[in-house]
Amino acid sequence: MTATETPVAIVGLGKIAVDQHVPSIAASPAFRLGAVISRHASMKGVPCYSSLGDMLAKEPDIPAVALCVPPQVRFDLAHEALSKGRNVLLEKPPGASLSEVEALSDLAKSNGCVLFATWHSRFAKGVPRAKEWLANREIGKVMITWREDVRHWHPGQQWIWQPGGLGVFDPGINALSILTEILPAPVQMTAAELEFPENRDTPIAARLSMRGSGKLAVEADFDWRQTGPQTWNIEVETDRGLLRLTGGGAHLEIDSRDVTDAEALQSEYDGIYGRFADLLREGRSEVDVSPLRHVADALMLGKRLVAAPFND
């Protein structure tokens, strides 16, 4: 530990916290893990609390909190931390609704706190280069194929099937976060088909149509029933060539030529904590809700289709 490391507390010690947040905090020169808040788990050598309120009362020198809990319970915890003057990092999606996130953004501003709504896929290795390459090109068709195995990534996690859990949009919003980052102009949702298992409250598959200015048209295919190799691809046709992002944004090809190559998820969370350190130093929040807005629009415009029951 050095004098320049900022202690950060993690709320929720589930898979994403253990696999991504904890290692990235450990690797960061800007942060150290100051505390863990969890009702069911603990971490050796780190102060552990069963409630956020207890931690806030007993750890006045921890200025930042990373919320790694399901979105349905995130608002109250973020509100509690911001009300106590702590800076907050939100896992994606930043909330269960747009109005929740907007309220938190207003609270952070009024209390002089930093609020960072993270989108980890934007920190994938190929994304910044893709954004740069597309900036001055006329974009035609965009095809997104985002198919994965929910049993592998969310084993036994019932919150994803409950209202506010997003269902297949939990991974699909990663694709939308990349899309909204790399396109030089916004797109609007025009139609959607959503497949809901007859025993679940959130969709297991979605097909989306979006349009932008000129010839820009986006089609997206999200599905949580794929087994074997996982598919996280975005293909963009332009007036000056074809761009392909694969591996969730880790691999970038331009006209079939490899431009960058990295393991999926590699350094994404390192990038998140690097950005959080910058925001804290600048005293500036970053809250982009455009990916979540596309999900909300899909749920508003979507035609509901009934799929076979899903059981873990």
Side-chain angles (χ1 to χ4, degrees), residues 5-283:
E5 290 176 334
T6 298
V8 58
I10 287 180
V11 184
L13 202 59
K15 180 176 175 58
I16 195 68
V18 172
D19 290 352
Q20 303 298 335
H21 287 262
V22 171
S24 288
I25 290 171
S28 171
F31 295 103
R32 64 176 176 86
L33 186 57
V36 167
I37 298 92
S38 175
R39 290 179 297 173
H40 308 294
S42 62
M43 183 166 289
K44 186 177 180 179
V46 179
C48 299
Y49 298 91
S50 60
S51 74
L52 176 60
D54 195 20
M55 189 282 293
L56 294 173
K58 295 180 179 178
E59 301 281 359
D61 295 328
I62 295 181
V65 174
L67 296 181
C68 305
V69 294
Q72 296 99 321
V73 299
R74 203 170 292 156
F75 176 80
D76 287 343
L77 294 167
H79 194 283
E80 184 177 10
L82 291 169
S83 296
K84 297 295 185 181
R86 311 299 174 97
N87 306 296
V88 173
L89 181 152
L90 299 170
E91 245 296 346
K92 66 87 190 172
S97 71
L98 288 165
S99 59
E100 283 187 358
V101 184
E102 290 167 355
L104 293 176
S105 182
D106 290 342
L107 179 60
K109 184 177 181 180
S110 65
N111 283 8
C113 298
V114 170
L115 179 65
F116 182 23
T118 67
W119 300 105
H120 66 78
S121 291
R122 288 181 173 177
F123 293 89
K125 291 294 187 181
V127 172
R129 182 72 180 275
K131 179 179 181 178
E132 179 184 8
W133 191 83
L134 291 172
N136 299 311
R137 285 167 169 78
E138 181 180 345
I139 300 173
K141 182 179 179 181
V142 180
M143 183 63 211
I144 301 172
T145 307
W146 220 258
R147 290 171 160 253
E148 63 182 50
D149 183 356
V150 63
R151 289 186 173 94
H152 174 77
W153 297 102
H154 295 277
Q157 295 180 13
Q158 296 306 306
W159 63 266
I160 57 174
W161 300 112
Q162 297 166 357
L166 296 190
V168 76
F169 286 110
D170 180 78
I173 205 170
N174 295 333
L176 296 174
S177 73
I178 294 175
L179 181 76
T180 52
E181 178 71 6
I182 65 176
L183 291 185
V187 293
Q188 297 79 44
M189 191 73 57
T190 58
E193 289 186 343
L194 311 176
E195 292 188 48
F196 286 75
E198 63 180 31
N199 61 335
R200 301 292 184 173
D201 294 322
T202 56
I204 198 167
R207 291 171 291 278
L208 314 178
S209 297
M210 292 168 271
R211 294 203 64 85
S213 59
K215 299 178 180 179
L216 175 55
V218 180
E219 298 292 326
D221 174 20
F222 301 158
D223 203 306
W224 241 353
R225 297 168 294 197
Q226 178 151 308
T227 57
Q230 310 288 273
T231 304
W232 303 302
N233 299 338
I234 299 177
E235 186 171 281
V236 185
E237 298 177 4
T238 79
D239 60 336
R240 286 183 281 170
L242 177 69
L243 178 147
R244 295 185 74 244
L245 278 168
T246 60
H251 317 292
L252 174 62
E253 297 177 10
I254 296 175
D255 289 333
S256 300
R257 177 174 57 88
D258 290 340
V259 176
T260 187
D261 189 2
E263 183 182 351
L265 285 179
Q266 181 180 350
S267 299
E268 290 183 8
Y269 282 81
D270 291 356
I272 281 176
Y273 279 94
R275 177 71 61 81
F276 194 33
D278 291 341
L279 295 174
L280 291 175
R281 185 174 60 253
E282 298 165 8

